[in-house]
Amino acid sequence: MQPDKGIYTLVLQMSETATIATGRLGNICYQRGYYAYTGSARAKSGFSRIRRHIDVAKSINKTRHWHIDYLLPKTTIQAIITTSTEKDLECQISNCIRKKTTPITGFGCTDCRCLSHLHHHTDQSKLIERTLNAYRRYADNIHQWEIF
């Protein structure tokens, strides 16, 4: 196993409700609150994808390729949770986070059968705990960074 590859979840804060053009999904009204976005970093670039997400959030990188690229500039990254793994756990973790949250239908899941890989909650601590529980259920080597 390569420790620089795995699955990650970004916990994002949206301070104001906003309608954002989100690629082929069109205009989506994102409610104020917190979002958990789960993605895979199992490709060749590995966890460097997280650095790219941070650069998009800070408007250093202006490229818009994935759904998350449209949302990131309007949010603040609050926490990043990762697991180093070669296993394809992205959908299992995302679906586990979905319980007791509001999924944004079609977001980040064009290559799978999931309802969404982005989930909204009004309480940051509950969303982070839900995310950590999902990782504990499916993964080892869990790491959490709080950005605040």
Side-chain angles (χ1 to χ4, degrees), residues 10 12 34-38 91 93-104 107 114-121 127 130:
L10 305 176
L12 310 169
Y34 300 91
Y35 290 85
Y37 171 73
T38 303
C91 294
I93 289 172
S94 180
N95 285 327
C96 193
I97 294 168
R98 185 179 80 203
K99 297 170 186 156
K100 298 184 182 180
T101 66
T102 304
I104 308 307
F107 193 104
C114 294
L115 179 62
S116 180
H117 282 206
L118 180 71
H119 304 92
H120 175 262
H121 200 289
L127 184 58
R130 171 149 296 290

Side-chain angles (χ1 to χ4, degrees), residues 29-100:
C29 182
Y30 296 94
Q31 297 299 311
R32 181 177 189 262
Y34 300 91
Y35 290 85
Y37 171 73
T38 303
S40 174
R42 293 174 48 240
K44 187 176 184 179
S45 60
F47 285 124
S48 66
R49 182 168 289 183
I50 294 171
R51 169 48 57 197
R52 183 189 179 283
H53 290 327
I54 292 168
D55 288 348
V56 170
K58 292 181 177 182
S59 295
I60 295 168
N61 183 336
K62 306 245 186 230
T63 302
R64 302 295 178 259
H65 181 70
W66 295 292
H67 296 145
I68 192 65
D69 292 338
Y70 297 91
L71 179 61
L72 283 169
K74 304 291 185 184
T75 65
T76 304
I77 299 173
Q78 298 294 300
I80 302 169
I81 299 164
T82 65
T83 183
S84 297
T85 184
E86 292 181 4
K87 295 178 185 174
D88 186 6
L89 300 174
E90 178 183 6
C91 294
Q92 291 94 321
I93 289 172
S94 180
N95 285 327
C96 193
I97 294 168
R98 185 179 80 203
K99 297 170 186 156
K100 298 184 182 180

